[in-house]
Amino acid sequence: MSASFSTPDGFRLLSGYFDRPAQEALVASIMTILKTAPIYQPVMPRSGRALSVKMSNCGALGWISEKAGYRYGATHPETGQPWPPIPEVLLDLWRAQSDWPDLPEACLINHYDEKARLGLHIDADESATYAPVLSVSLGDSAYFRLGGPSRKGPTQRLTLHSGDVVILGGASRRFYHGVDKILPGTSSLLPESFRPGRINLTLRRVHQ
Ligand SMILES: O=C(O)CCC(=O)C(=O)O
Ligand SMILES: [Mn+2]
């Protein structure tokens, strides 16, 4: 494991942080989570149009996109059940890499199929604005787009592979980023029903 890419702004890409057996164990815990908190189809604020990414969450709070807006909530919007806890291995990742005293309350589970993408955005629904955001890539590789503090500034493309960890820390916590596309068929990790596809787990501290 090495910091294969980092910027002076606190952005870090830890390539291959999780080896294949660790990725398999993580996928198994995510599949268990999805049995009680099924992947659902979120919609965009106002328009109510479907996002191309499907979602679920684990942790005390989940990030929810719905017609009324974005929010953090303690229960699944369709089942009304509390989100399952965040797997210990992800809390270990947070303890090892976040440099933040409090544990994350939220872990967003994004599932990208071969057509899904995520437009440029800033993670801005947390009051803990200085706590870093950590995310784990599982399954097919993806083109990740990293910009800067303004939407119109220059961007660069990074390829994220299964097992990679991305850290938006320091100033980069407020940088625009998104996912241009996934590269179908580049990984055999995920169960058949999730392929071609990519799962991204995003750990966030919500409250200061
Ligand atoms: O899928 C990714 O790598 C990024 C996900 C993301 O930025 C988000 O869910 O806010
Ligand atoms: Mn984001």
Side-chain angles (χ1 to χ4, degrees), residues 102-177:
D102 308 307
L103 289 174
E105 293 127 313
C107 176
L108 173 64
I109 303 169
N110 284 343
H111 179 244
Y112 300 78
D113 67 15
E114 59 194 319
K115 294 199 188 93
R117 57 184 299 279
L118 190 62
L120 268 190
H121 67 278
I122 294 179
D123 292 10
D125 300 312
E126 301 78 30
S127 59
T129 46
Y130 294 101
V133 171
L134 267 65
S135 82
V136 183
S137 294
L138 295 169
D140 285 337
S141 304
Y143 289 149
F144 182 84
R145 183 139 308 266
L146 175 65
S150 91
R151 183 180 281 284
K152 293 200 174 114
T155 64
Q156 58 189 309
R157 187 179 88 182
L158 302 169
T159 307
L160 301 184
H161 302 286
S162 196
D164 288 358
V165 169
V166 159
I167 303 173
L168 295 167
S172 78
R173 173 67 179 77
R174 292 267 151 191
F175 281 8
Y176 279 89
H177 60 278

Side-chain angles (χ1 to χ4, degrees), residues 26 29-30 33 58-59 84-92 107 201 203:
L26 198 42
S29 6
I30 298 304
I33 286 169
C58 52
I86 298 176
E88 198 57 37
V89 62
L90 294 176
L91 298 178
D92 287 345
C107 176
L201 309 171
L203 296 165

